[in-house]
Amino acid sequence: MIINTLLEICQNIFSPLAEKSRILKFLDKFIFISICAVILLSLCCSSDTIGYVAVTGIFLTLIKIITSKELKFRYTKFELCLIIYLAFVIISVAGSSLFLLSLKGVFKTFIYLGYYITCVIYLKDNKQDIYKIFGLFAFCVCYESVVGLLQNSSHAGALAGWQDTSNLNPEEVMTRVYGTLKPLNPNLFGGYTLALVPVVYGLTALLAAGKSRVRFVVGILFSLLSTAVMIMSGCRGVFVAYPFMMLVPASILLIRSPGAIKPILYKLYGGICTLGVVCILFSSSIKARILSIFAMRGDSSTSFRFNVYQSSVQMFKDNPFLGIGVGNQNFRETYGLYMKTGYDALSAYNIYLETAVESGIFALIAFLAFLVFLIKGAVKTILNSKNINKVIILTAALSSITGILLHGLVDTIFFRPQLQFVFWMMVAIIRTLAKFETAEN
């Protein structure tokens, strides 16, 4: 590869600095701090602040790359698909009528992918720190769960039109919690907790495998708390995505378990589902919120989404190959030419439609191919690995990604930095632990 040849020249020039500099000897620690800082700051800081910290980590990783002779670029098939996806994103920007707005959007894309590269390079030599990252994620979701529980107890009022109450009785109006994530929004909160509850479940499973009873009980309690508060977000996309997301660990558990245990697991899973349904039926507000999913045009939020979908499809038909250029501001400006109501939209409320609208059909195909190769490699490793800890971590990461992608069918909070950084960290963990053939093979 030409890029490795050029990299080797740079490494020959700069690698002596790593041997002489005391600071560069602690470079990995600084990179890990930046990775963790991004995760923690996602709880309360603005997108710009989180982005600046991520850029710091990317810069430190770049220094590591050019000063470490052993580092070489080797990419898997799913990473090749990412490269192709990025190429079409760049092309879409070049052809966009709103070039500056699109340039800002592609810069964000570079930051997210740069964070992924940062995580992959760090975890390559520090696999043991995956447990610390999981622990940090679990702390974040548990912190948000406690905040959400307090908001629910105090009946925190909606900051915006979060629920259509025109056809509801007062007792059916739900108190939708929103945590501390910026901007304050229950859908963002719901999507964030949906992405991270598999981590809490995974850590609880690790504690069970380690036979630590006290910690296992604590893990169960936090698992119940985070799941309950996720439901309190009132995010209907989460209500739809969660049961399907949970089919991932359930299926893996059933496949890998001995035959004699499978009937017990079937009954257990059925009992959990029944318990969930019963709990929903006892809460009139949650029941009304779920039933509103099927109201279609009868619910103002759903009706608005249908209008956005129709307009977005028309935007795609007018720009099928290169799209309009990436970025929510670019989408908003262009959507004004297509909108069917007096309300504008920041996104297409579907991440796959959004990708097609912004970067064209070829970018969407590349993105979907990336997901197929990634999931295929993860599942193959999970089913064949004899290391139970690796299986649990990979299952949790795969479940998290699945939840994000399912939620993305009806919302685009996926493009918020809080979700993006979780998503790319999970991809990096799978890349680190699963077995993938390099694209050169």
Side-chain angles (χ1 to χ4, degrees), residues 280-441:
I280 290 170
L281 292 176
F282 272 98
S283 174
S284 58
S285 59
I286 294 177
K287 182 172 65 175
R289 186 65 180 162
I290 292 175
L291 290 176
S292 71
I293 296 173
F294 308 100
M296 300 301 177
R297 288 288 184 178
D299 182 86
S300 61
S301 177
T302 306
S303 181
F304 171 70
R305 275 171 164 76
F306 284 147
N307 289 335
V308 175
Y309 293 151
Q310 291 175 4
S311 299
S312 297
V313 169
Q314 189 57 51
M315 291 166 67
F316 169 69
K317 288 181 178 179
D318 291 345
N319 307 273
F321 300 115
L322 298 180
I324 62 172
V326 295
N328 62 310
Q329 289 300 323
N330 185 43
F331 181 95
R332 187 175 187 177
E333 292 293 330
T334 308
Y335 180 79
L337 304 174
Y338 293 85
M339 65 181 181
K340 298 181 179 297
T341 65
Y343 300 96
D344 65 354
L346 292 175
S347 63
Y349 289 98
N350 179 295
I351 62 175
Y352 311 101
L353 180 57
E354 178 102 3
T355 301
V357 169
E358 291 185 347
S359 305
I361 187 64
F362 299 118
L364 175 61
I365 292 171
F367 182 71
L368 293 175
F370 146 69
L371 294 175
V372 169
F373 284 120
L374 174 71
I375 294 171
K376 180 181 177 182
V379 171
K380 186 176 179 179
T381 303
I382 289 170
L383 296 180
N384 295 326
S385 177
K386 295 181 180 180
N387 185 325
I388 187 63
N389 285 1
K390 178 189 288 189
V391 169
I392 291 172
I393 291 173
L394 282 174
T395 301
L398 182 60
S399 300
S400 175
I401 288 173
T402 302
I404 292 171
L405 295 175
L406 288 170
H407 189 194
L409 290 169
V410 292
D411 212 331
T412 41
I413 58 162
F414 171 74
F415 296 107
R416 290 287 183 186
Q418 293 90 341
L419 263 292
Q420 279 283 306
F421 289 123
V422 171
F423 178 82
W424 291 113
M425 174 57 79
M426 295 304 170
V427 174
I429 289 173
I430 291 176
R431 171 67 170 86
T432 302
L433 297 181
K435 293 182 179 179
F436 294 97
E437 293 183 1
T438 58
E440 297 95 313
N441 294 334

Side-chain angles (χ1 to χ4, degrees), residues 99-143:
F99 177 77
L100 292 179
L101 290 178
S102 297
L103 192 63
K104 183 178 179 180
V106 79
F107 182 67
K108 290 180 181 179
T109 304
F110 272 111
I111 292 176
Y112 296 141
L113 292 179
Y115 183 76
Y116 163 71
I117 294 171
T118 297
C119 295
V120 168
I121 291 177
Y122 177 79
L123 293 177
K124 176 178 175 290
D125 300 317
N126 301 277
K127 291 184 177 66
Q128 72 282 356
D129 284 342
I130 291 176
Y131 295 102
K132 296 178 183 178
I133 291 170
F134 258 46
L136 191 60
F137 274 138
F139 166 79
C140 290
V141 72
C142 290
Y143 169 79

Side-chain angles (χ1 to χ4, degrees), residues 9 29 48 173 179 223-224 236 323 334 359 378 381 399-400:
I9 294 172
K29 292 186 178 180
D48 290 342
V173 177
S223 295
L224 293 173
R236 294 176 296 180
T334 308
S359 305
T381 303
S399 300
S400 175

